Amino acid sequence: MNIYGYARVSSSDQNLARQLEAFDKFGVPVKNVFSDKRSGKDFERTEYRRLTDVLRRGDLLVILSLDRLGRDYEQILSEWKRITKTIGADICVIDMPVLDTRSRGGTLAGRFIADVVLQVLSFVAENERTKIRTRRADGIRLAKARGVKFGRPRTVYSDDFILTMRGYAEGRVSRSAAMKNLGIGKSAFFKHLSRLKESGAL
């Protein structure tokens, strides 16, 4: 059996020291520690992929806390099942001893308890995300009711701008002359042209 450690921080200016110290105390060999300085939004991380490529049945993966594995609980659940069921390795979360699939001597009961706890954590996290989305939507709805405007403000066009665009639309002014007169480039020209047509100004 090999013991591996996985550490992650979200950006290059953050420090892995606390996680590496925890691995040292746990007894993870330095050569078996993999670390990424990447967001936990998904599992497309170079060192994490290298780690799972060498994990074998009976090995142990150690992480300091569950959020070091990832941020999305649905993805964590899927990856947890892949490691413990498909690969057949164990997982130990140092900061949360109940999330240790070796519990009770590696019995089915131990794995079952860890899986159930993970499912509960996943439900709580998803429930909290739903509450946050609901509160945000309610806040926006109430703000709109008070007259608060959201999004980028609409461009207000001057009479000269509209007249120049109208001249182009009616074939009286060339595009290059219109762009020069308005002081804008080609992409901006067509963007404003489209908006003015949609608004009925042309």
Side-chain angles (χ1 to χ4, degrees), residues 164-202:
T164 300
M165 282 295 201
R166 187 173 294 157
Y168 168 78
E170 295 174 352
R172 294 182 284 104
V173 179
S174 69
R175 188 183 74 207
S176 58
M179 287 166 53
K180 184 177 181 181
N181 184 44
L182 298 173
I184 58 176
K186 184 177 178 181
S187 60
F189 178 84
F190 285 111
K191 178 184 72 177
H192 292 302
L193 180 67
S194 177
R195 284 182 181 175
L196 286 169
K197 285 181 177 178
E198 286 176 5
S199 68
L202 298 183

Side-chain angles (χ1 to χ4, degrees), residues 17-147:
R18 180 169 172 262
Q19 297 174 71
L20 299 180
E21 182 182 4
F23 294 156
D24 183 55
K25 288 181 179 177
F26 192 94
V28 180
V30 175
K31 64 183 179 64
N32 287 354
V33 173
F34 294 77
S35 61
D36 282 305
K37 293 193 173 185
R38 288 281 305 275
S39 164
K41 66 179 181 178
D42 57 42
F43 286 93
E44 295 305 317
R45 306 173 219 141
T46 304
E47 289 301 299
Y48 181 78
R49 286 304 180 192
R50 284 188 59 228
L51 164 64
T52 54
D53 282 345
V54 299
L55 263 183
R56 296 291 181 267
R57 181 170 297 277
D59 287 344
L60 174 64
L61 170 60
V62 180
I63 54 176
L64 178 59
S65 56
L66 195 59
D67 63 356
R68 296 307 85 200
L69 191 60
R71 290 288 185 185
D72 186 306
Y73 270 78
E74 285 186 12
Q75 290 186 25
I76 289 175
L77 277 171
S78 176
E79 197 65 11
W80 185 280
K81 289 176 182 176
R82 185 171 81 90
I83 292 170
T84 60
K85 306 293 194 301
T86 306
I87 296 175
D90 281 304
I91 302 176
C92 173
V93 182
I94 297 174
D95 280 357
M96 194 173 289
V98 72
L99 288 178
D100 184 345
T101 59
R102 302 171 305 158
S103 299
R104 305 194 181 186
T107 62
L108 276 175
R111 287 177 178 268
F112 175 74
I113 289 170
D115 286 351
V116 168
V117 171
L118 190 63
Q119 291 279 357
V120 170
L121 287 172
S122 176
F123 170 77
V124 170
E126 182 57 38
N127 196 43
E128 185 58 29
R129 283 196 295 267
T130 300
K131 285 181 180 177
I132 290 170
R133 286 194 294 266
T134 300
R135 286 197 295 267
R136 185 182 296 128
D138 287 345
I140 291 172
R141 178 178 54 79
L142 291 171
K144 284 182 176 179
R146 294 196 308 270

